[in-house]
């Protein structure tokens, strides 16, 4: 099946860097890139969006709620089952966990002043990063689905955005994947 045959309308990529995006786009138009991006995971910010915007490619952030951390669904790594990645994720361990919980408490306080949830604040922040960004939060709950959808109605002020940056200037403490896994997970 191919785009030229009309059997595939859009072509997307996942977890690749600028060089790979450019190479793929030169062969066939890339519509969207899927990449982990949230208040917690900010590695994408410097290099990826400028290339995407130059080429007219959208960004679909997965795990926009930091694997539940930004939705208030958090407990230390040791309390997760061994087959749950949060049991080994650096962000749920030791000092990283303490730092991240403290940041979430501050974000919750900000969200409370706005009359919204921390999850809505986190999603509204992503939406404020550009019209070419469409986060895909996962949920098993209708209540959470409705809560997440409510983020589109949240307009963050410059002061809100500044406060969020003050709380988490570079994202969470701890890497999204161990270094050995991350090096084979992303391509560029």
């Amino acid at each position: 099946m191919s785009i030229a045959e009309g059997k595939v309308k859009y072509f997307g990529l996942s977890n690749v860097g600028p060089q790979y995006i450019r190479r793929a786009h030169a062969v066939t138009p890339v519509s969207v890139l899927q990449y982990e991006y949230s208040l917690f995971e900010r590695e994408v910010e410097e290099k990826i969006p400028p290339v995407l915007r130059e080429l007219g490619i959208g960004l679909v952030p997965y795990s926009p709620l930091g694997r539940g951390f930004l939705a208030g669904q958090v407990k230390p790594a040791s309390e997760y089952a061994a087959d749950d990645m949060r049991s080994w994720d650096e962000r749920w361990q030791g000092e990283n966990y303490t730092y991240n919980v403290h940041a979430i408490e501050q974000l919750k306080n900000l969200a409370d002043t706005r009359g919204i949830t921390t999850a809505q604040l986190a999603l509204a922040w992503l939406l404020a990063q550009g019209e070419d960004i469409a986060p895909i939060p996962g949920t098993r709950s209708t209540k959470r689905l409705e809560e997440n959808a409510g983020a589109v109605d949240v307009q963050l002020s410059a002061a809100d955005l500044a406060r969020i940056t003050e709380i988490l200037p570079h994202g969470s403490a701890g890497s999204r994947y161990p270094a050995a896994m991350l090096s084979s997970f992303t391509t560029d």
Side-chain angles (χ1 to χ4, degrees), residues 67-83:
R67 303 193 191 281
F69 221 123
L70 295 162
Q73 303 297 312
V74 63
K75 53 190 176 185
S78 62
E79 294 183 28
Y80 289 96
D83 64 346

Side-chain angles (χ1 to χ4, degrees), residues 41-104:
E41 184 49 53
R42 311 273 284 279
E43 83 174 29
V44 69
E45 286 181 326
E46 278 186 46
K47 296 178 182 177
I48 305 285
V51 172
L52 297 179
R53 289 180 175 133
E54 172 192 331
L55 299 174
I57 300 169
L59 176 62
V60 176
Y62 68 85
S63 296
L65 298 176
R67 303 193 191 281
F69 221 123
L70 295 162
Q73 303 297 312
V74 63
K75 53 190 176 185
S78 62
E79 294 183 28
Y80 289 96
D83 64 346
D84 188 316
M85 76 171 290
R86 293 171 292 187
S87 70
W88 50 263
D89 189 312
E90 292 176 8
R91 296 171 290 188
W92 274 261
Q93 310 242 354
E95 291 179 13
N96 292 342
Y97 178 78
T98 302
Y99 174 91
N100 295 335
V101 166
H102 179 67
I104 295 305

Side-chain angles (χ1 to χ4, degrees), residues 93-169:
Q93 310 242 354
E95 291 179 13
N96 292 342
Y97 178 78
T98 302
Y99 174 91
N100 295 335
V101 166
H102 179 67
I104 295 305
E105 289 168 358
Q106 294 176 73
L107 291 171
K108 182 180 182 329
N109 291 340
L110 176 59
D112 287 347
T113 67
R114 298 290 317 272
I116 59 175
T117 66
T118 308
Q120 288 173 321
L121 180 77
L123 292 170
W125 177 85
L126 268 173
L127 293 170
Q129 303 309 304
E131 290 184 15
D132 53 350
I133 296 176
I136 51 171
T139 185
R140 294 183 188 110
S141 156
T142 303
K143 179 184 174 201
R144 290 284 189 194
L145 176 65
E146 291 168 356
E147 174 186 332
N148 293 342
V152 300
D153 297 323
V154 176
Q155 297 297 316
L156 299 176
S157 69
D160 293 333
L161 294 170
R163 178 66 182 129
I164 291 167
T165 298
E166 184 181 299
I167 294 167
L168 282 171

